[in-house]
Amino acid sequence: MAQAYAAWLAEAGTLRGLLGPREVSRLWERHLLNCAVLAELLEPDATVCDLGSGAGLPGLVLAIARPDLRVTLVEPLLRRSSFLGEVAAALKLPAVEVVRGRADELHGRRSFDVVTSRALAPLDRLLPWSMPLVAPSGSLLAIKGSSLAAEIRAAESQLARWHCAEPVVLHLGEGVVLPTTTAVRVAWADPGKVGWPLLPGTSSAPDGPDVVDGREEPDPGRPPSDGAG
Ligand SMILES: C[S@@+](CC[C@H](N)C(=O)[O-])C[C@H]1O[C@@H](n2cnc3c(N)ncnc32)[C@H](O)[C@@H]1O
């Protein structure tokens, strides 16, 4: 199944401009295996939301590697969300759902055990997009590059604002994939205090509106309450 997905990426993916042609020769180590090593971190039967899935990385890879997972791929661009739907249908992945939209459009409506992403945004921007979707005992899990330590420092105020636990840096796939994968996991500091539902548009964001793909991002949502429950 992974080989079939690799063929989709190498052929339709490059033809439709979802993947640079230079990536084809390094599809496995830089893309498929780089994402597949996340699979070992996920609990059995977990619900996973992959934000900014693009051509399905890491979401489709996780769905292939772990058929027990229920995977929701969130992608605002039609060309990419259509590709995701076509691949999921061709590979007969019934536990994959494709949502065409931005992360914040799911806030207050859905929650997941794990919210993944790769190459979506720096951690300080990822937190307000991802944490409103993370179940009280769940976590954000993002594949990151060499700037992770600086991203964590820059995200200090957002980590406090969202009442997150200390981020955990993970080095995955040692002895299995080269280069190894660096990821960050962020859980809630106190799952018992996560306020639900996290309704969009109910808080005053500390920063101005973000612009994504030329469109203004609405307010990301309300951080967890300080009160219990
Ligand atoms: C650089 S691509 C990364 C794609 C894929 N995750 C990968 O690693 O190859 C970022 C993707 O995030 C999507 N995106 C941008 N803003 C978003 C948002 N607010 N919510 C969800 N997806 C978003 C873009 O359309 C794009 O497909």
Side-chain angles (χ1 to χ4, degrees), residues 52-54 57 75-77 80 102-103 118-120 129 212-213 217:
S53 207
L57 299 159
E75 172 53 54
L77 295 188
R80 296 176 191 185
R102 292 179 319 239
R118 187 183 85 151
L120 176 58
W129 286 353
V212 176
D213 291 328
E217 280 287 282

